[in-house]
């Protein structure tokens, strides 16, 4: 049956050989410790020593699989296999204690029939009813009760049932084993390969015990040893495979969940970055609008500057809502236009800024540059005691924009992780994301952002961008065609 093969990747033939070797160890041990002329019979007589270790290993594996993935089908499987392991231990203990007297075959078949009934019950309700108790504890509890009853039967009424016709016992046993195997094949809560291998296990072990019950010939004894060995091997390989597969599925699910979580976190960071800049931009627009409506005696030049700033910031806000700040390709841009608009916005909010236009142009994405400068000006306004100072200088092929404040500065312990997400000083009321956003934007623009020591204290942040090579080049990105012309230089 090809569907009875364990799915590739979760099990190998080397593991099967290893399990078979472990299962054969009790068989070899029994053959060595029995008398010289009765090795085959002695080995077959103590079959519980072969089945019980395999059943216990399978019970542990099924229980571990259920702990990894607590599905009802696995719970009922762990319950039934644990019961089988408990009965195997009882059988092995009785056989060893009563050594060298063999245990009657009817007693063993009675144990098999009990397990077959449990399997029938388990597969019948396993896909319909959730298994609420712990399957291992329930299996051992029920197995212990059945074991005590069997021991009492064996002690008080050892000949009970021996007058039954062998044909009747054989017919009932075969019917029970075939019915349990058939019902097991119909279970939908277990994979098809596992169902078929479990059914094969029932038939192999049950058939081995039935062979010993019907005959004590060497052929029957050999058939019993082979059947129990193969059945124990099938039981262990199936249960261990179930465990390994559940672990692999759990690992894949965890990996998938981690990937989804990382994507969600990246998405959250992108949205928080957008909201961070949107809130700052709206604050400037709101302050400028309020100033235009309430201020009296405002000069015409000042009014034009405020109106141009509102228009430019509204345009940038519209682009921020549509996509990240650095979504479009870098182009030649005028630093005075970007910085001048933000200086007016800061002054509309009551934040003083000292700045002189430089006439420099750089290759960058305008909205990204504006967002970085805006973040640095916001930080300077929060931590500085007086006016922030913006200077633009050319150093070789790089334009450096420096934003300085006269606040308390940045603690030395924070400098190495200053641009990490969520990092903020003990006196900061911010979210600790602005500088991270600014650093990421500058890196993506091919520039840099760093903190430098100022001569008079405070904090100095310097952003560098490549100088524009063609000062006569026209803007290539239609997104910024609606920006106002260069703002006036005397803004303080």
């Amino acid at each position: 049956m090809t569907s009875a093969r364990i799915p590739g990747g979760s099990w190998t033939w080397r593991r099967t050989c290893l399990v078979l070797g472990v299962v054969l160890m009790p068989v070899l041990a029994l053959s060595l410790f029995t008398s010289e002329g009765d090795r085959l019979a002695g080995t077959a007589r103590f079959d519980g020593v072969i089945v019980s270790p395999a059943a216990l290993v399978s019970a542990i594996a099924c229980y571990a699989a259920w702990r990894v993935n607590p599905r009802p089908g696995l719970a009922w499987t762990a319950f039934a296999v644990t019961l089988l392991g408990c009965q195997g231990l009882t059988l092995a203990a009785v056989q060893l204690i009563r050594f060298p007297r063999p245990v009657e075959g009817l007693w063993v078949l009675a144990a098999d029939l009990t397990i077959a009934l449990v399997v029938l019950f388990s597969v019948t309700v396993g896909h319909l009813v959730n298994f609420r108790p712990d399957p291992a504890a329930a299996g051992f509890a029920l197995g212990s009760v059945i074991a005590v009853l069997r021991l009492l039967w064996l002690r008080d009424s050892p000949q009970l049932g021996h007058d039954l016709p062998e044909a009747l016992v054989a017919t009932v046993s075969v019917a029970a084993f075939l019915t349990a195997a058939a019902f097991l094949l119909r279970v939908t809560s277990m994979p098809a390969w596992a169902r078929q291998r479990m059914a094969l296990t029932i038939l192999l072990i049950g058939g081995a015990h039935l062979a010993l019950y019907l005959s004590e010939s060497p052929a029957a004894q050999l058939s019993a040893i082979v059947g129990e060995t193969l059945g124990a091997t099938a039981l262990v390989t199936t249960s261990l495979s179930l465990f390994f597969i559940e672990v692999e599925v759990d690992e894949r699910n965890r990996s998938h969940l981690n990937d989804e979580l990382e994507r969600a976190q990246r998405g959250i960071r992108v949205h928080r970055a957008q909201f961070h800049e949107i809130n700052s931009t709206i604050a400037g627009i709101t302050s400028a609008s309020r100033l235009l409506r309430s201020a009296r005696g405002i000069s015409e030049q000042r009014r034009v500057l405020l109106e141009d700033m509102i228009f430019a910031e509204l345009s940038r806000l519209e682009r921020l809502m549509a996509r990240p700040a650095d979504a479009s390709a870098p182009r030649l841009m005028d630093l005075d236009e970007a910085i001048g608009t933000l200086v007016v916005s800061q002054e509309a909010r009551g934040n003083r800024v000292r700045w002189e236009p430089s006439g420099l142009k750089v290759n960058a994405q305008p909205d990204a540059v504006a967002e970085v400068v805006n973040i640095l000006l916001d930080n300077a306004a929060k931590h500085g005691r007086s006016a922030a100072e913006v200077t633009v200088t050319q150093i070789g092929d790089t334009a450096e924009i420096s934003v300085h404040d006269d606040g308390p500065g940045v603690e030395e312990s924070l400098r190495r992780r200053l641009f990490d997400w969520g990092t903020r000083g003990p006196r900061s009321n911010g979210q600790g994301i602005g500088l991270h956003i600014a650093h990421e934007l500058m890196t993506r623009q091919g520039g840099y952002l760093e903190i430098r020591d100022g001569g008079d204290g405070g904090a100095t942040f310097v952003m560098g961008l490549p100088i524009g090579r063609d000062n006569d080049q026209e803007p290539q990105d239609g997104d910024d065609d609606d920006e106002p012309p260069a703002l006036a230089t005397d803004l303080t």
Side-chain angles (χ1 to χ4, degrees):
M1 294 182 296
T2 56
S3 58
R5 294 178 180 175
I6 301 173
S10 60
W11 195 261
T12 63
W13 64 269
R14 293 183 179 88
R15 292 179 178 176
T16 301
C17 293
L18 178 61
V19 171
L20 180 60
V22 173
V23 172
L24 283 174
M25 289 177 63
V27 179
L28 297 176
L30 288 173
S31 65
L32 291 176
F33 285 100
T34 53
S35 60
E36 186 70 24
D38 197 25
R39 287 182 176 178
L40 187 62
T43 304
R45 190 181 306 142
F46 294 96
D47 57 307
V49 181
I50 302 174
V51 176
S52 57
L56 285 178
V57 171
S58 300
I60 295 172
C62 290
Y63 181 73
W66 172 78
R67 296 294 297 181
V68 172
N69 186 1
R71 292 188 289 108
L74 283 177
W76 284 104
T77 303
F79 168 71
V81 176
T82 303
L83 177 62
L84 174 62
C86 190
Q87 299 308 304
L89 277 178
T90 305
L91 176 60
V94 171
Q95 289 175 335
L96 292 175
I97 291 172
R98 297 174 65 87
F99 182 85
R101 178 186 173 186
V103 177
E104 298 293 342
L106 183 62
W107 193 89
V108 178
L109 277 179
D112 292 343
L113 292 176
T114 302
I115 295 171
L117 291 175
V118 173
V119 171
L120 281 175
F121 176 77
S122 300
V123 300
T124 302
V125 302
H127 64 290
L128 301 175
V129 180
N130 289 330
F131 197 98
R132 298 188 180 277
D134 186 278
F140 274 117
L142 181 59
S144 300
V145 172
I146 297 174
V148 170
L149 294 177
R150 287 216 181 92
L151 291 174
L152 293 176
W153 167 30
L154 190 62
R155 185 193 67 178
D156 299 333
S157 304
Q159 300 301 318
L160 180 64
H162 282 205
D163 55 345
L164 294 174
E166 289 186 353
L168 176 62
V169 174
T171 302
V172 172
S173 300
V174 171
F177 297 147
L178 291 177
T179 304
F183 268 86
L184 189 59
L185 292 174
R186 300 180 60 183
V187 176
T188 58
S189 56
M190 291 178 59
W193 64 269
R195 298 198 304 265
Q196 295 185 11
R197 293 174 71 88
M198 286 292 188
L200 180 62
T201 300
I202 292 176
L203 296 179
L204 286 173
I205 296 178
H209 291 166
L210 182 59
L212 280 180
Y213 171 76
L214 294 176
S215 174
E216 294 184 358
S217 65
Q221 293 167 352
L222 181 61
S223 300
I225 295 173
V226 172
E228 289 170 349
T229 302
L230 295 179
T233 303
L235 180 63
V236 174
T237 55
T238 303
S239 55
L240 288 178
S241 300
L242 282 173
F243 170 69
F244 290 146
I245 289 175
E246 293 300 332
V247 170
E248 291 176 0
V249 171
D250 183 69
E251 289 179 350
R252 287 196 297 269
N253 290 339
R254 287 178 184 272
S255 178
H256 177 71
L257 288 176
N258 287 334
D259 293 342
E260 291 293 328
L261 180 60
E262 290 179 2
R263 281 193 289 268
Q265 289 177 339
R266 287 196 296 268
I268 290 173
R269 287 191 176 189
V270 170
H271 291 308
R272 288 185 65 183
Q274 285 181 300
F275 287 142
H276 182 276
E277 183 61 15
I278 287 170
N279 289 336
S280 179
T281 304
I282 291 176
I285 294 172
T286 303
S287 299
S289 301
R290 187 181 297 113
L291 188 62
L292 284 174
R293 290 174 59 89
S294 61
R296 295 184 179 181
I298 187 173
S299 66
E300 184 64 24
Q301 181 184 13
R302 185 68 171 171
R303 182 180 298 277
V304 170
L305 287 176
L306 290 173
E307 289 176 349
D308 288 345
M309 183 275 291
I310 292 175
F311 179 72
E313 288 293 87
L314 282 174
S315 299
R316 186 163 73 93
L317 179 62
E318 182 180 8
R319 292 190 294 273
L320 281 173
M321 296 291 290
R323 62 186 180 184
D326 62 340
S328 58
R331 66 172 178 81
L332 192 68
M333 61 163 290
D334 192 333
L335 280 178
D336 293 342
E337 289 185 4
I339 298 175
T341 300
L342 298 174
V343 169
V344 174
S345 175
Q346 290 289 326
E347 291 188 336
R349 286 182 274 174
N351 304 325
R352 294 182 56 200
V353 181
R354 293 195 298 269
W355 167 71
E356 292 292 336
S358 63
L360 293 178
K361 295 183 178 181
V362 296
N363 284 318
Q365 209 288 318
D367 286 343
V369 174
E371 183 169 345
V372 174
V373 174
N374 200 31
I375 290 172
L376 297 180
L377 289 176
D378 282 343
N379 283 352
K382 290 177 183 177
H383 303 293
R385 291 184 291 268
S386 60
E389 183 177 358
V390 179
T391 56
V392 181
T393 56
Q394 180 175 353
I395 301 178
D397 292 335
T398 302
E400 287 195 343
I401 303 98
S402 173
V403 179
H404 174 74
D405 65 69
D406 56 356
V410 179
E411 296 181 4
E412 190 65 30
S413 60
L414 292 177
R415 286 179 176 256
R416 290 186 177 181
R417 53 189 179 90
L418 186 61
F419 299 110
D420 293 343
W421 183 276
T423 299
R424 58 177 184 172
R427 295 180 296 271
S428 175
N429 295 323
Q431 304 176 50
I433 64 176
L435 290 177
H436 173 83
I437 297 170
H439 188 268
E440 288 290 319
L441 288 174
M442 290 305 300
T443 302
R444 295 171 191 170
Q445 297 297 307
Y448 57 85
L449 174 63
E450 57 190 30
I451 183 171
R452 296 180 183 173
D453 294 326
D456 56 349
T460 301
F461 289 90
V462 179
M463 49 185 290
L465 290 167
I467 293 288
R469 296 182 179 178
D470 184 4
N471 289 338
D472 297 328
Q473 181 180 347
E474 293 297 326
Q476 299 175 359
D477 190 345
D479 288 343
D480 292 339
D481 289 346
D482 52 359
E483 290 188 355
L487 300 177
T489 60
D490 188 9
L491 298 172
T492 58

